[in-house]
Amino acid sequence: MLFFTIVLKRFGFFMGLAGLGALLTAAPVLAQQRMIPLDKLKSGLAFTGPEILDLQADDFANPALPSMDRGAKLWKQVAGKADKSCQSCHGELSASMKGVATRYPAIDKASGQLFNLEDRIRQCRQKNQKANEWPFESDELLAMTLYVTSASNGMPIQVSIDGKAQPRFEAGQKIFMTRQGQMNLACTQCHDQRYGIKLFTDKLSQGQPNAYPAYRIEWQRLASLERRLRFCYTGVKADIPPWGHGDMRDISLYLMWRAQGLNIEVPSVRK
């Protein structure tokens, strides 16, 4: 703990945190509060090095491409008791799924629950194909999510926070603004207040979600936004919600709203 305290002090994390903590505790979270102006939004690529930029841009060496290929095969693969593929219902992905990833998380009309794209794929597989749901963070689910997301590549994020989504958005915003864990840090303190500052060898990013699922070099595999969020919980030494927990959906909705103005960016690579 002493080591982490020294590191954080060195990079200015404790500068004014007492006052900010009091503000976050005493004042109600304002609806639709933007800490980063729209014209200052930056993708995670803006905070990485040239080697990652080159790797992501390489149409042959990008390590996320095998998952893209797998997703394309799964799209056409017949599965379940219904003996259907995704293509059986939706047709060609480029037309039917265009823009879909820009709108998630979204409220599922039938259940009233907040679904991310993985939830929708799992439900569709179980309900329409009559097949077993793919487990969270499974290779199949990540590959399919990446492939579906690719149909929205280059399109701006446009999630809805109206109606039944509003309380879930506000809950996600509260999580982002609240100190957590033994490190007593809030997401906003790193990703709104200190982005661009170096921690060890890497710059802190704005924590934007527009590139997920992303291939992360440190994990040597494709990873969902939820896994990245869970890793942040580990970093501040906080209790990690179970996979698929509502808190993860809430904060994802807030993050996607916070990222409006950025385009979907896949297949992506992160360090």
Side-chain angles (χ1 to χ4, degrees), residues 48-200:
T48 191
E51 69 283 356
I52 299 297
L53 290 170
D54 292 343
L55 193 58
Q56 178 164 316
D58 195 315
D59 291 336
F60 296 96
N62 186 319
L65 291 175
S67 293
M68 279 278 287
D69 291 340
R70 185 172 189 179
K73 292 176 181 177
L74 289 170
W75 180 262
K76 298 177 180 179
Q77 187 177 90
V78 172
K81 294 180 180 179
D83 202 30
K84 291 181 178 180
S85 67
C86 301
Q87 187 165 282
S88 300
C89 294
H90 299 290
E92 290 298 323
L93 177 123
S94 58
S96 63
M97 294 292 113
K98 186 176 182 179
V100 168
T102 68
R103 303 192 291 269
Y104 278 86
I107 295 293
D108 173 54
K109 293 181 180 178
S111 66
Q113 297 300 307
L114 185 64
F115 277 15
N116 66 10
L117 190 54
E118 286 94 331
D119 296 326
R120 178 62 70 200
I121 291 169
R122 280 163 50 88
Q123 185 206 52
C124 194
R125 180 172 166 83
Q126 188 274 329
K127 183 178 179 181
N128 297 322
Q129 291 182 295
K130 308 298 181 186
N132 294 331
E133 292 177 333
W134 285 320
F136 288 115
E137 213 62 14
S138 62
D139 290 340
E140 295 86 356
L141 182 59
L142 288 168
M144 181 63 80
T145 304
L146 177 60
Y147 186 57
V148 171
T149 301
S150 71
S152 303
N153 192 38
M155 298 181 68
I157 293 169
Q158 49 182 4
V159 292
S160 172
I161 58 171
D162 298 327
K164 292 183 179 179
Q166 182 177 350
R168 304 299 300 268
F169 163 80
E170 291 174 353
Q173 183 173 240
K174 183 177 180 180
I175 293 171
F176 191 85
M177 299 291 180
T178 301
R179 292 182 182 225
Q180 297 191 59
Q182 295 178 27
M183 302 300 289
N184 197 31
L185 290 172
C187 309
T188 185
Q189 290 170 291
C190 289
H191 299 298
D192 287 336
Q193 303 295 326
R194 299 290 184 267
Y195 66 83
I197 292 176
K198 270 196 171 183
L199 181 61
F200 300 107

